[in-house]
């Protein structure tokens, strides 16, 4: 008799289509978003699922988690976990796996791509040439990146890789965290405002969530000043987007490079009219190599949850709660 495959509820389509196929082949998956009435489906069948697969962008709301009384584990595609309802997950003692580490290089690469584009106006230059303006107009003269001061908000895995790349551009690096990183060779700034005042480029690699919501506000942007740039490859919620738009419109900062937004996929309409901001559709980890590595870790975390009750890579608050329960 064939072994019954573990039942898995999948919140929606994964960012890598091959992962959808892999999940369907290895597990008995049901895609919640494909149901005619997802809420009614959860009410009728939610108790049948012990495992949930989602992504950082989709997350899992309190109503979904509460409709899964047998939930034991979640495997999430991505490093962000602010869209997962922490309170309801912890209330059910479910463990949560995610995919850190494997996307650090590509996100750091994207941070520098946005930094260089913001400084040199490469995307604007492309539009200039395509519009046929080169024969009759001069393109502007903008800012060099080499030798400038780079401030990093969030010296974690990705922040470290950004700092490493900065060395190739002879940039001086400083950072702000909740607390200093013991093994970092870079200067620690006690406050974000102090960091913004010091640096030419402020790169945001901090985690999302309530604790970091609108950390980069009008005051921080004013401290950065009219020669400064904001680069965000973290979470849109870390930046007060309305304040950023106002600063860009009134040239209180020089420019910005954004891969993330407060209300994805809908940036503030005013941002679309600004030529001093580079906009990308949340693609920092969007390379074939990285997305495949993330998919593999989603699968490995799910297998480990089913076999051992814990993922290989666990969200910090999930791991802390499990350790507390263990005593």
């Amino acid at each position: 008799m064939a072994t019954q495959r573990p039942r898995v509820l999948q919140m929606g389509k994964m960012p890598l289509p091959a992962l959808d196929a892999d999940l369907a082949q290895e597990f008995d998956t049901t895609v919640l978003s494909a149901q005619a009435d997802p809420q009614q489906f959860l009410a009728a069948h939610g108790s049948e699922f012990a495992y949930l697969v989602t992504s950082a962008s989709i997350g899992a709301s309190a109503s979904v988690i509460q409709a899964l009384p047998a939930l034991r584990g979640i495997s999430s595609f991505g490093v962000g976990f602010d869209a997962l309802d922490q309170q309801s997950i912890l209330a059910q003692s479910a463990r949560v796996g995610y995919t850190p580490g494997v996307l650090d290089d590509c996100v750091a690469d994207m941070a520098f791509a946005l930094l260089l584009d913001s400084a040199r106006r490469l995307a604007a230059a492309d539009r200039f040439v395509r519009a046929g303006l080169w024969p009759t107009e001069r393109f502007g003269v903008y800012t060099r990146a080499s030798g400038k001061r780079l401030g990093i908000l969030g010296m974690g895995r990705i922040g470290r890789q950004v700092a490493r790349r900065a060395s190739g551009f002879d940039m001086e690096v400083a950072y702000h965290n909740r607390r200093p990183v013991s093994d970092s060779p870079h200067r620690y700034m006690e406050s974000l405002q102090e960091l913004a005042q010091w640096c030419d480029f402020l790169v945001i690699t901090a985690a999302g969530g309530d604790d970091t919501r609108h950390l980069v506000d009008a005051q921080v942007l004013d401290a950065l000043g009219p020669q400064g740039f904001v680069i965000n490859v973290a979470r849109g919620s870390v930046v007060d987007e309305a304040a950023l738009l106002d600063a860009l419109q009134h040239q209180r900062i020089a420019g910005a490079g954004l891969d993330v937004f407060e209300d994805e996929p809908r940036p503030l309409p005013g941002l679309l009219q600004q030529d001093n901001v580079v906009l990308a559709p949340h693609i920092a980890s969007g390379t074939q190599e990285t997305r495949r590595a993330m998919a593999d870790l989603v699968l490995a975390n799910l297998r480990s949850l089913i076999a051992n009750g814990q993922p290989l890579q666990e969200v910090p608050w999930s791991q802390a709660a499990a350790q507390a329960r263990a005593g």
Side-chain angles (χ1 to χ4, degrees):
M1 191 170 95
T3 304
Q4 188 173 10
R5 295 183 299 164
R7 294 201 69 187
V8 173
L9 183 65
Q10 186 178 329
M11 285 292 295
K13 294 295 184 182
M14 292 290 102
L16 184 73
L19 178 55
D20 294 317
D22 292 340
L23 287 164
Q25 182 175 5
E26 187 169 344
F27 307 99
D28 181 5
T29 58
T30 299
V31 180
L32 183 60
S33 64
Q35 305 308 307
D37 187 333
Q39 192 171 4
Q40 186 177 355
F41 177 86
L42 284 174
H45 302 285
S47 61
E48 301 169 13
F49 296 94
Y51 303 100
L52 178 70
V53 171
T54 187
S55 67
S57 59
I58 299 172
S61 66
S63 62
V64 170
I65 300 301
Q66 290 162 9
L68 304 172
L71 185 65
R72 292 177 54 201
I74 299 172
S75 184
S76 182
F77 184 107
V79 293
F81 39 81
D82 47 301
L84 295 168
D85 190 79
Q86 179 178 346
Q87 186 174 353
S88 59
I89 292 169
L90 293 180
Q92 294 186 211
S93 300
R95 307 285 290 268
V96 185
Y98 71 142
T99 60
V102 296
L103 48 65
D104 299 349
D105 282 325
C106 281
V107 176
D109 287 351
M110 186 66 175
F112 255 86
L114 289 170
L115 186 155
L116 292 170
D117 197 332
S118 299
R120 298 299 302 272
R121 299 284 186 97
L122 185 58
D126 178 82
R127 294 192 294 271
F128 178 86
V129 173
R130 290 176 187 274
L133 300 176
W134 193 8
T136 58
E137 298 182 25
R138 289 182 180 273
F139 189 69
V141 177
Y142 296 103
T143 304
R144 66 180 286 175
S146 297
K148 294 297 182 70
R149 290 177 168 182
L150 177 69
I152 298 174
L153 172 57
M155 186 62 86
R157 291 184 178 95
I158 295 170
R160 289 171 184 264
Q161 291 301 325
V162 171
R164 183 181 172 198
R165 282 153 180 74
S167 66
F169 288 83
D170 298 319
M171 300 178 90
E172 187 179 354
V173 175
Y175 71 98
H176 173 70
N177 271 13
R178 290 179 184 173
R179 60 189 66 86
V181 177
S182 59
D183 61 346
S184 174
H186 304 294
R187 179 180 176 184
Y188 174 71
M189 297 286 195
E190 292 285 347
S191 74
L192 176 54
Q193 194 152 345
E194 180 187 8
L195 179 66
Q197 204 161 19
W198 173 85
C199 69
D200 300 300
F201 297 92
L202 178 63
V203 177
I204 303 166
T205 56
D210 292 340
D211 290 344
T212 59
R213 179 172 174 76
H214 287 187
L215 267 184
V216 179
D217 57 12
Q219 287 185 320
V220 170
L221 295 168
D222 285 343
L224 186 61
Q227 305 303 317
F229 296 82
V230 172
I231 308 298
N232 191 4
V233 291
R235 283 291 177 267
S237 60
V238 182
V239 176
D240 182 338
E241 201 166 292
L244 176 62
L245 174 58
D246 188 72
L248 289 166
Q249 287 173 330
H250 295 93
Q251 289 84 50
R252 297 204 314 278
I253 64 171
L258 308 174
D259 186 51
V260 290
F261 304 88
E262 285 200 72
D263 182 22
E264 295 182 2
R266 292 169 289 274
L268 281 180
L271 289 173
L272 308 182
Q273 312 306 318
Q274 290 299 120
D275 209 37
N276 56 349
V277 59
V278 182
L279 308 173
H282 202 151
I283 56 169
S285 66
T287 64
Q288 294 178 13
E289 299 87 350
T290 289
R291 291 285 170 91
R292 184 64 255 178
M294 293 170 72
D296 289 343
L297 189 46
V298 167
L299 293 166
N301 278 333
L302 184 55
R303 294 183 194 115
S304 183
L305 281 163
I306 293 168
N308 308 311
Q310 64 185 54
L312 297 180
Q313 293 285 350
E314 188 162 12
V315 166
W317 48 257
S318 172
Q319 186 173 34
Q323 290 170 345
R325 288 194 298 270

